Amino acid sequence: MHEASSDLMVEVDPRWNITNLVVRLATERPGRIMFSRLVGGTWRDVTAAVFRDEVVALAKGLAGVGVQPGDRVAIMSTTRYEWTLADVAIWFAGAVTVPVYETSSAEQVEWILADSATTVVICESRAHAETVRATNSSARVWVLDEGGLAELVANGLQVGDEEIERRRQLAGLEDLATIIYTSGTTGRPKGCELTHGNFVVLCENTSATLHEVVGADDASTLLFLPLAHVFARFIEVLCLSCGARLAHCNDPTKLVEQLPQVQPTFLLSVPRVFEKIYNSAEQKALAGGKGKLFGRAAATAIEYSKAKDTGRAGIGLRVRHRVFDRLVYPKIRAVFGGRTQYAVSGGAPLAEHLGHFYRGIGLTVLEGYGLTETTAPTTVNRPERSKIGTVGPVLPGVSVRIADDGEVLVRGPHVFRGYHNNPAATAETMVDGWFRTGDLGSLDEDGYLRITGRKKEILVTAGGKNVAPTTLEDRLRVHPLISQCIVVGDGKPFIGALITLDAEMLPAWAANEGILEPLDVDSAVRHERVLAALQSAVDEANTAVSRAESIRRFDVLTTDFTVES
């Protein structure tokens, strides 16, 4: 199959914008718990009506300090309730949100603020404010941690409700809602212009498609990914569309602590989180002398999940699964809060054995695919039929086509309207109404998409062999010792890899291997047992490719790959 498409399930009034989702909830279900907000260590509920009132008060404040409809207002903060509050208030004021990663350098911030013509910045901390003030930007700054929102609200006391109601209705589906800057590998970040319609049409149709996941009466999630990223932003608006309760985690290191407190029914994540939870559970089992039990339980979960695809789970398998469902699986489900039934994974491929493992223990991971330019998801697996190893069929209103060279092309109401101030880049990316993703993929007979690589990342060895590095990288990253991996070899005689170690997993792994001497990252990169384990992981990854594509040599680095480095 070379093309797959689906009709819209939900038509949206062209006069609508994102604010209508908030107004609808506050009008139809004013007492609905929309947010769980962490205040002084205690989670407090925020209803739809209270949220609307807080949004209107802040929108008045923005209007009171001179923000005009169409103005750009930036947010530079970790993921927290106030991020969403400010985001929606900006839309109620008729303005446009410009998210900025809280880890961004002054040079990056200066470019984003200048290119977007931002006039106001809402920062989380004094450090963020100093970063903004170190630029040449003349934007005014308010700081969350220093009472900035309360100060803004105070500036809007003289602004009437009718003015905010007028402003919030100015935008329609075709109008600009946000400019999200992509972190390009070369050159300056490009600003993706996403409209209100991109979000509203996509979220309304996703709510209908995944109603079992996000539309249940008790549906809730804990968001820990950065709201400066389109994936998290989509979930923010999706919750406004379907009425799911949203909690924010501003420190990913506290995720395991907060999941049991919030007890979400679905989770938005990236594959690395699922890899680390699995590896941690395995290492703890080994340390407690229960490694063989965990191994049998994991194998049973994978076998049970695969049997669900064929409908052939024998009585012996069912009995083993019930036993482990009492002894082992509840402990792993408890890590996710105990009530999580579904997780939506994106950003990178999830190893197939992990997809089967989690489904086998009672947590269905629905892999999806999308980009900033597509307002996040283009395809996603469905609860009623999930094909592990694929990123699912298209969402309603979306079309996917596989070009002759294997590139994935996308068309639909969720595709951005172009790059800000960059018509040349827009023209290069949009061809005959189709967005060129730069990803390589294939469609099966049921229209399920499989991503096989990145067009620009294809390595060509000196011998002329084309190599897709993600095939090897994804398999290596699931090893408990490995944090990150980059496959190299373009124009070289053979393929190599740069590997970084997972410092958190290293002590547990060393103890389970009987290594008595202290082992940190600096010493581990030279340790014979560590290198032997990594070689075994490389050998295993190489079984997925031909010899010409296999990794012949690897080097272990002492520092991990980070945004800063």
Side-chain angles (χ1 to χ4, degrees), residues 382-465:
R382 311 293 202 260
E384 65 274 11
R385 192 183 181 199
S386 177
K387 285 192 180 184
I388 292 172
T390 77
V391 290
V394 295
L395 285 164
V398 174
S399 297
V400 164
R401 174 184 292 175
I402 306 300
D404 292 340
D405 62 355
E407 184 175 9
V408 179
L409 310 180
V410 178
R411 186 172 63 187
H414 65 320
V415 175
F416 77 147
R417 72 181 194 183
Y419 295 110
H420 186 64
N421 289 338
N422 199 338
T426 303
E428 182 182 349
T429 312
M430 299 296 299
V431 179
D432 297 328
W434 292 87
F435 168 62
R436 299 171 55 183
T437 66
D439 289 315
L440 301 173
S442 61
L443 289 164
D444 69 12
E445 64 279 4
D446 297 317
Y448 280 63
L449 179 65
R450 185 183 295 269
I451 301 299
T452 57
R454 182 81 182 152
K455 195 173 178 181
K456 291 183 179 179
E457 290 177 358
I458 293 294
L459 306 177
V460 183
T461 66
K465 182 64 178 177

Side-chain angles (χ1 to χ4, degrees), residues 143-197:
V143 183
L144 295 177
D145 290 345
E146 297 178 355
L149 292 194
E151 185 180 341
L152 278 170
V153 169
N155 276 280
L157 296 178
Q158 304 306 315
V159 179
D161 289 344
E162 67 284 350
E163 171 60 12
I164 299 304
E165 184 64 15
R166 180 189 72 83
R167 284 171 170 242
R168 79 156 193 88
Q169 294 189 60
L170 289 174
L173 294 182
E174 300 298 320
D175 291 301
L176 186 63
T178 187
I179 306 173
I180 301 180
Y181 284 80
T182 60
S183 52
T185 53
T186 59
R188 286 173 164 170
K190 298 193 293 287
C192 296
E193 293 189 345
L194 298 178
T195 67
H196 285 273

